[in-house]
Amino acid sequence: MRRRESLAGQVVAINVLLVVATLFAASAAASLDLEVTDERARFGLLAITIVLALLVNMAMLRRRFGPLERLIERVEAIDPADPQAFDPPPEARSVEEIDRLATSFCQLLDRIEVERRRSGRLVLRAQEEERKRVARDLHDEVNQALTAILLRLEALSHDAPERLAGDIGEVKGLTNQAMDELLTLARQLRPTALDDHGLVPAIDGQVRRFEEQTGIRAGFEARGDAFGLGEDQQVVVFRVAQEALSNVARHSGATRVAVGLRASGNGAVELSVRDDGRGFAPAEASGGLGLSGMAERARLLSGDLEIESAPGEGAAVTLRLR
Ligand SMILES: Nc1ncnc2c1ncn2[C@@H]1O[C@H](COP(=O)(O)OP(=O)(O)OP(=O)(O)O)[C@@H](O)[C@H]1O
Ligand SMILES: [Mg+2]
């Protein structure tokens, strides 16, 4: 592998060569005779001056290249999850080339972020479309088939001998249960309420079902006008509410949960899900995809997700979209 040398080192090495060559050229030009003590002193003076000039040169070079090194350090420290936090060192502004480097790097990061958001949204939309399709198929095809079975069983139960009545009743019960489970699954995949009635009724329905299924007391309060929200925003808010509630049910051991939605009418919205359960340390939470998925969804819409929790103090998830 080729050894790589720093830019400052290379400039200094070239300077040393040039200076040494100059020293000998100058002494030759002045026809210094190094055998003569007096002339040797003049040569020494010349050499010292040149070495001093070289040292000053090195010190200045180091200062000049300092901003470049600090820029590199900051570039290396960029958090890929939050490239927007990149901030070029202020001294980079004072050197034209380094300033240009920093500026073009910022522009590159911006372009990557815009592209990442665009493709992220496309993925979210594709995922939602696919869920819609599967939910519709489950509802239309499988549910129709189960209904047909139920009707046949119904007809059969009239003509069947008495001793089979119990069995037929049991099969009917199982079929009904399968239909219920199927509809719950379809609703989770894509709540039709979101398409038919909008965000607030969809979350309201979700919260009421949560209470029925888990026995945890759940309240929902919506303020402001949520009609101005785009489809992407509504889907993200709904999915974050869904995941936060599922975490409350699975991990919190809470007795109460409060869901709040505040829309300001101009597309900004804040969702909060607050429970009184056992809480956790967000920095140490690992393993699942729920928390990171919520944060990623928020970021794709230029929003942010805040998780406030500590062991024994409940948990609060807040999503803000601008
Ligand atoms: N409301 C909460 N109360 C207590 N602990 C929580 C709460 N929400 C999350 N946690 C903790 O944070 C961890 C990570 O949550 P996350 O949603 O990312 O993953 P998960 O729910 O375990 O799995 P997944 O969501 O991928 O099915 C959980 O395992 C749990 O320990
Ligand atoms: Mg989860």
Side-chain angles (χ1 to χ4, degrees):
M1 209 177 83
R2 270 184 60 195
R3 244 193 73 199
R4 286 174 303 170
E5 285 174 23
S6 77
L7 200 54
Q10 290 182 24
V11 176
V12 168
I14 293 170
N15 280 356
V16 168
L17 284 177
L18 286 177
V19 161
V20 170
T22 313
L23 176 61
F24 283 103
S27 56
S31 337
L32 289 181
D33 183 353
L34 298 184
E35 299 296 312
V36 183
T37 322
D38 186 32
E39 302 214 340
R40 225 185 284 156
R42 276 158 62 194
F43 179 82
L45 186 66
L46 195 59
I48 288 171
T49 321
I50 289 176
V51 168
L52 274 179
L54 199 61
L55 287 177
V56 171
N57 182 274
M58 274 168 68
M60 282 188 42
L61 272 178
R62 185 160 298 162
R63 260 180 68 93
R64 291 284 121 209
F65 280 105
L68 185 61
E69 293 203 344
R70 272 183 295 285
L71 179 66
I72 293 172
E73 278 162 16
R74 295 222 183 159
V75 169
E76 283 173 348
I78 290 178
D79 174 7
D82 187 16
Q84 233 71 23
F86 173 70
D87 177 29
E91 63 267 35
R93 297 264 167 257
S94 57
V95 186
E96 193 199 330
E97 285 81 0
I98 301 179
D99 185 32
R100 270 174 52 199
L101 191 62
T103 308
S104 55
F105 193 74
C106 287
Q107 287 166 348
L108 180 68
L109 281 182
D110 286 347
R111 284 205 298 276
I112 293 176
E113 184 63 11
V114 167
E115 184 51 34
R116 204 178 64 88
R117 287 205 179 138
R118 199 186 64 83
S119 49
R121 280 183 197 210
L122 289 181
V123 170
L124 279 189
R125 272 184 213 159
Q127 196 187 45
E128 290 296 328
E129 279 305 313
E130 186 63 9
R131 287 180 171 193
K132 240 190 233 180
R133 193 186 63 73
V134 175
R136 205 168 38 227
D137 284 357
L138 281 179
H139 186 273
D140 296 352
E141 311 287 334
V142 188
N143 200 39
Q144 290 303 329
L146 285 174
T147 310
I149 292 177
L150 213 55
L151 290 176
R152 287 294 298 273
L153 283 172
E154 192 62 43
L156 211 67
S157 65
H158 296 306
D159 308 334
E162 193 62 30
R163 64 187 168 79
L164 288 181
D167 285 344
I168 292 179
E170 197 179 321
V171 178
K172 266 170 37 184
L174 287 173
T175 313
N176 267 319
Q177 194 185 332
M179 280 170 81
D180 281 349
E181 282 167 12
L182 190 80
L183 290 180
T184 308
L185 190 63
R187 212 179 290 124
Q188 270 170 6
L189 273 171
R190 178 70 191 193
T192 44
L194 196 56
D195 299 315
D196 300 343
H197 309 292
L199 184 61
V200 173
I203 296 185
D204 193 40
Q206 178 80 9
V207 171
R208 276 188 286 116
R209 269 192 305 280
F210 170 88
E211 192 172 50
E212 279 164 26
Q213 284 162 6
T214 62
I216 300 174
R217 275 212 287 151
F220 175 52
E221 190 196 4
R223 275 191 283 160
D225 173 14
F227 287 104
L229 297 177
E231 196 182 325
D232 286 347
Q233 285 180 310
Q234 298 198 23
V235 169
V236 165
V237 172
F238 184 81
R239 292 290 177 210
V240 168
Q242 208 176 24
E243 170 59 21
L245 283 175
S246 130
N247 276 352
V248 173
R250 286 169 51 202
H251 311 297
S252 75
T255 58
R256 297 187 62 121
V257 57
V259 180
L261 184 76
R262 213 169 58 205
S264 68
N266 58 2
V269 63
E270 185 180 300
L271 169 87
S272 66
V273 179
R274 197 176 290 273
D275 70 64
D276 65 352
R278 66 176 67 92
F280 66 110
E284 287 157 28
S286 60
L289 295 174
L291 297 178
S292 53
M294 289 193 279
E296 179 62 20
R297 283 192 151 97
R299 205 161 42 234
L300 288 174
L301 297 188
S302 310
D304 65 81
L305 185 92
E306 189 183 0
I307 295 163
E308 292 165 282
S309 185
E313 301 196 354
V317 172
T318 309
L319 167 77
R320 288 188 198 88
L321 300 179
R322 290 178 277 276

